[in-house]
Amino acid sequence: MKTRVLAGLAIAAAATVALSGCVQSANASNASDADGTTDLTVFISGDTNVRDLWDKSLIPAFEKANPKIHVSTSIDLHGEHDAQTQANLATAVKAGKSVAYDLVDAGFVTTAGKAGLMATVSDSTIPNLKDVPDATKQQGGDSAIPYRASSVLLAYDAKKVTDPPKTLDDLLAWIKANPGEFAYNSPSSGGSGGSFVATVLAKYLTPAEQETMQTKYDKSLESKWDEGFAALKDLGPSTYQKGVYPNGNDQVVQLLGSGQIAMAPVWSDQFITSQKTGIIPKTVKAVQIDDPSFTGSASFLGIPKTEPAAKKAAAEKLADFVLSAKGQQLVASAVSGYPVIPLDSLPKSVAEQFADANPSQLRLGFQSDFSADMNAAWDAKVPQ
């Protein structure tokens, strides 16, 4: 399995097409090689742990079961060029052309699907999709394939904290009562910090406003964030080193593991993995707060709308494998992702690990355009 890392795409649009959305003829003859094998590329917009999940776990197991299908990966680290990738995909679909990848693992899958850029999916061609809860599928729409889930949790050092906060108000009060013991990363550098910021903002929104911001984009609603940003700015002097915001989810976990802080928001999958590897000691626990809770959602796969028929069938077979009991076990083992199929179909050890997880009941974060605006607004308004 060969992984390609995308080079810088912030150049002319024509060059970005060549790099991240290489358009091929819709009648391309390379759907199958001369020996009857089919070559697939999984495009990943994310971190190296997701690439490793595919390269080291999912692809080897899939290829063993399907020797006539060869799979490689292409990655845009941290999704830095999502806008260009989506623009290139839109151009290809409009022209009726295929692109240089066959399955997409990216945060923009749902947005692209709802824009008509991804093929619709169903359990007639992806049979294991029938086992995914309807509520989880509805989060992504009819062109997105849920394959794992995660949520942000409140991690705390049980040696220092005997009664962890249970609500957001409790957490904000704890931070002020324990200056320097709480940290969150800047929201543009990682989703755990982004979830904390979005949760504080949501505290001051009506349920209707929250729902709109989760599903649509109306920039005029961003004036409703003012009170939340004021609260975050006021909180700054009580956070780590009087307002030092780590760069990324990893730095927060490292601070927690080294005992430099006592509490932080962390991704559920990263927390479980970090305890397995010893980065976080077993004395650090994690809980979910309420009113409102931190955010979480499923991660989705998508198949480009103009995918040639033969390769589309192979991509559907790969997606179906990922949703099988074997595939979901690999996801749980490799990245500690919540399974999206019933736990009783998985080994007991996996079922016990995720007994409290329910991806159909996760509170969604803001729609992607709102999230980008939120990150920029935080940069401008919160740090001292």
Side-chain angles (χ1 to χ4, degrees):
M1 290 69 65
K2 185 177 180 181
T3 300
R4 305 189 306 278
V5 179
L6 293 181
L9 298 181
I11 52 178
T16 65
V17 169
L19 285 169
S20 69
C22 304
V23 178
Q24 303 167 348
S25 167
N27 297 316
S29 61
N30 63 348
S32 296
D33 295 333
D35 62 355
T37 61
T38 300
D39 295 320
L40 295 180
T41 297
V42 178
F43 176 82
I44 301 163
S45 170
D47 293 334
T48 54
N49 66 322
V50 179
R51 177 184 61 192
D52 289 345
L53 165 65
W54 286 98
D55 283 346
K56 298 178 181 179
S57 296
L58 292 173
I59 291 174
F62 174 76
E63 289 184 336
K64 183 177 180 179
N66 299 273
K68 290 293 186 179
I69 303 176
H70 296 167
V71 187
S72 62
T73 57
S74 174
I75 186 168
D76 175 15
L77 280 173
H78 313 302
E80 293 181 359
H81 310 104
D82 279 355
Q84 294 97 319
T85 303
Q86 291 180 81
N88 296 334
L89 178 59
T91 298
V93 170
K94 185 176 180 180
K97 306 292 186 179
S98 62
V99 290
Y101 45 86
D102 310 288
L103 190 67
V104 180
D105 183 350
F108 63 76
V109 163
T110 56
T111 302
K114 291 171 183 177
L117 305 180
M118 297 288 177
T120 56
V121 297
S122 71
D123 56 20
S124 64
T125 54
I126 305 176
N128 287 320
L129 196 58
K130 70 181 184 304
D131 296 325
V132 180
D134 287 341
T136 306
K137 289 185 282 192
Q138 289 168 6
Q139 289 178 3
D142 62 3
S143 296
I145 307 159
Y147 87 101
R148 60 185 171 92
S150 59
S151 65
V152 174
L153 302 173
L154 181 66
Y156 65 96
D157 188 340
K159 294 187 298 183
K160 300 178 181 178
V161 183
T162 57
D163 185 20
K166 295 178 176 59
T167 67
L168 179 62
D169 282 342
D170 291 343
L171 172 58
L172 297 178
W174 187 94
I175 294 169
K176 289 196 171 183
N178 298 271
E181 291 292 336
F182 177 87
Y184 70 96
N185 57 278
S186 56
S188 61
S189 70
S192 61
S195 179
F196 176 74
V197 171
T199 301
V200 173
L201 298 184
K203 168 179 165 62
Y204 301 98
L205 301 174
T206 66
E209 289 166 346
Q210 289 186 53
E211 183 176 357
T212 297
M213 289 189 178
Q214 290 168 350
T215 58
K216 303 174 184 176
Y217 183 57
D218 179 356
K219 193 173 178 65
S220 67
L221 287 176
E222 293 177 6
S223 62
K224 303 286 186 177
W225 288 346
D226 291 347
E227 198 170 357
F229 277 124
L232 287 163
K233 185 175 181 64
D234 180 62
L235 196 68
S238 299
T239 61
Y240 176 64
Q241 293 187 357
K242 299 182 178 181
V244 171
Y245 303 95
N247 182 33
N249 305 315
D250 287 343
Q251 286 192 9
V252 172
V253 168
Q254 290 164 9
L255 288 174
L256 194 61
S258 63
Q260 296 182 67
I261 56 174
M263 193 176 292
V266 297
W267 278 111
S268 56
D269 47 1
Q270 187 173 33
F271 176 79
I272 294 170
T273 300
S274 295
Q275 283 209 323
K276 286 181 179 178
T277 58
I279 295 173
I280 296 178
K282 296 296 184 182
T283 53
V284 176
K285 310 295 183 182
V287 296
Q288 181 57 276
I289 61 169
D290 295 315
D291 198 29
S293 66
F294 289 137
T295 56
S297 69
S299 294
F300 298 89
L301 306 175
I303 300 172
K305 187 174 183 179
T306 50
E307 180 79 344
K311 299 191 78 174
K312 181 173 183 286
E316 290 168 340
K317 181 173 285 191
L318 174 56
D320 194 58
F321 171 80
V322 174
L323 291 179
S324 68
K326 175 64 174 177
Q328 290 290 283
Q329 186 178 353
L330 291 171
V331 169
S333 175
V335 294
S336 300
Y338 292 2
V340 294
I341 64 173
L343 293 177
D344 59 12
S345 64
L346 299 171
K348 183 178 179 181
S349 59
V350 177
E352 290 176 347
Q353 183 178 6
F354 297 98
D356 296 328
N358 187 346
S360 67
Q361 296 181 0
L362 299 175
R363 188 175 78 83
L364 298 180
F366 294 141
Q367 185 262 4
S368 58
D369 292 314
F370 274 123
S371 292
D373 290 350
M374 179 194 78
N375 294 347
W378 184 93
D379 289 340
K381 297 181 178 183
V382 175
Q384 301 294 324

